[in-house]
Amino acid sequence: AVKAHDDAFLLDREVQLYRYLWRHKKRGLVPQLRIPRLLWEGTTDDGKQRVVVLDRLGTSLDQLFDAQGKCWGHATVCWVACEALRLLEGLHTLGVVHRDLKPDNFAIGYDADERHRLYTFDFGLSSQYLDKDGQHRPMRTGLTLIGTLRYASLANHDGHQQSRRDDLESLGYVLWCLAAGTLPWKHAVRDVEDRSERNRLIAEAKRALDLDAVPAPFGELIRYARGLAYEAAPDYATWVARFEALAGTASSVPDWLLPHPPVTAGRVARSRKQRPARTC
């Protein structure tokens, strides 16, 4: 896979992170962290774009979800939850926060025997929350939101420095979206082009959100993440165990590995109307 960008600074940061992450992966420190390998980096012949070449991954979760009519069973969403939590634990163990978690930035493996494994990628907005001495960086405020508005944490909306808790809250919104097919604020800002206004409206919707009305356990995960202190380490293992228990043995086979009849617009509409509530 080839990634090119006019802003050399952004790709330089990403290259540095890939090198850092792989240096520790090769030492066996984070076996649960699956990311593509950095194969080459340089510039285009005209020198106008910075380029990186990475291992090619398979289909993104966003594309898989769309291809199946935005309709996944609870076991598949729980499978994604377990895989994503393990990926985050590995990333956070190395002192890095992703800062832009969304279905587009997760993908399955490319080879046939890798289609049941989840990878994360696109570290252009990622940062290290630990300094060179292994100390947690202090909270900063008054910052511009970094990441995707739809899945951003409340603290991110409020201009606070992101840490592990913000990745976890973003994951909660991602999982809720995969379970419900959408998020309530997506259509509310569809015709709003000004990013500042979109930010304000989405932040207000998230503050007004009744987490008890969000299907369990996604609302509980979001509440848990919001309740963490800035420097706190999430309890990944407990949440993985919970999602595994909710999914049962079916969680080992996600929906895209099961045989499905061809999806048509009519069948999607009927399936959305008739399917049971999307809860794990």
Side-chain angles (χ1 to χ4, degrees):
V2 180
K3 182 175 182 178
H5 206 292
D6 293 335
D7 189 338
F9 174 75
L10 289 179
L11 277 192
D12 282 341
R13 286 187 59 206
E14 190 164 13
V15 165
Q16 292 172 9
L17 270 173
Y18 271 116
R19 286 175 173 166
Y20 169 79
L21 295 173
W22 270 104
R23 185 162 64 248
H24 289 84
K25 272 188 64 63
K26 289 176 180 177
R27 294 169 57 193
L29 297 181
V30 284
Q32 75 274 39
L33 178 61
R34 286 190 291 273
I35 58 174
R37 289 178 302 161
L38 175 66
L39 304 176
W40 182 84
E41 50 93 9
T43 59
T44 53
D45 289 343
D46 60 11
K48 293 182 178 180
Q49 288 190 311
R50 191 81 161 84
V51 180
V52 294
V53 179
L54 304 160
D55 275 335
R56 180 174 179 178
L57 297 179
T59 315
S60 72
L61 287 187
D62 185 59
Q63 293 171 320
L64 285 169
F65 195 49
D66 285 345
Q68 294 186 304
K70 297 185 183 294
C71 184
W72 277 349
H74 78 284
T76 292
V77 181
C78 288
W79 179 92
V80 171
C82 294
E83 291 288 298
L85 283 163
R86 294 186 181 104
L87 292 174
L88 279 187
E89 182 178 14
L91 194 63
H92 294 168
T93 296
L94 297 181
V96 175
V97 285
H98 193 286
R99 302 206 301 180
D100 193 22
L101 291 179
K102 54 186 176 181
D104 315 60
N105 286 341
F106 291 102
I108 58 174
Y110 180 73
D111 295 331
D113 60 353
E114 287 275 302
R115 288 177 58 80
H116 67 289
R117 293 190 173 95
L118 195 65
Y119 289 74
T120 188
F121 59 100
D122 196 348
F123 300 107
L125 298 179
S126 301
S127 68
Q128 292 178 288
Y129 68 87
L130 297 179
D131 63 22
K132 62 181 181 180
D133 298 318
Q135 300 299 309
H136 203 296
R137 296 185 186 279
M139 165 75 78
R140 295 170 58 205
T141 59
L143 305 177
T144 301
L145 184 142
I146 294 176
T148 302
L149 291 172
R150 189 181 307 171
Y151 306 105
S153 68
L154 270 181
N156 191 7
H157 281 290
D158 291 339
H160 296 166
Q161 180 86 9
Q162 294 186 61
S163 63
R164 290 169 285 186
R165 65 180 183 180
D166 300 277
D167 274 354
L168 202 65
E169 184 177 342
S170 290
L171 178 61
Y173 297 130
V174 169
L175 297 173
W176 181 18
C177 182
L178 296 178
T182 189
L183 290 170
W185 43 82
K186 177 181 178 181
H187 300 293
V189 297
R190 174 178 291 176
D191 299 324
V192 180
E193 296 187 5
D194 181 75
R195 181 175 171 84
S196 296
E197 181 64 8
R198 288 168 63 88
N199 184 16
R200 185 185 68 80
L201 291 173
I202 292 175
E204 286 182 355
K206 288 175 182 174
R207 288 190 193 95
L209 184 64
D210 180 4
L211 291 175
D212 290 328
V214 177
F218 312 114
E220 297 165 32
L221 179 60
I222 294 168
R223 178 184 287 113
Y224 170 79
R226 289 183 181 180
L228 287 172
Y230 170 68
E231 297 185 3
D235 186 352
Y236 311 95
T238 294
W239 282 100
V240 168
R242 181 167 184 194
F243 279 108
E244 284 181 336
L246 288 167
T249 57
S251 65
S252 62
V253 184
D255 278 1
W256 55 85
L257 294 180
L258 299 174
H260 287 279
V263 175
T264 64
R267 192 179 78 81
V268 171
R270 289 193 298 274
S271 67
R272 289 181 182 174
K273 182 178 180 180
Q274 298 169 0
R275 68 176 181 268
R278 296 170 179 265
T279 57
C280 286

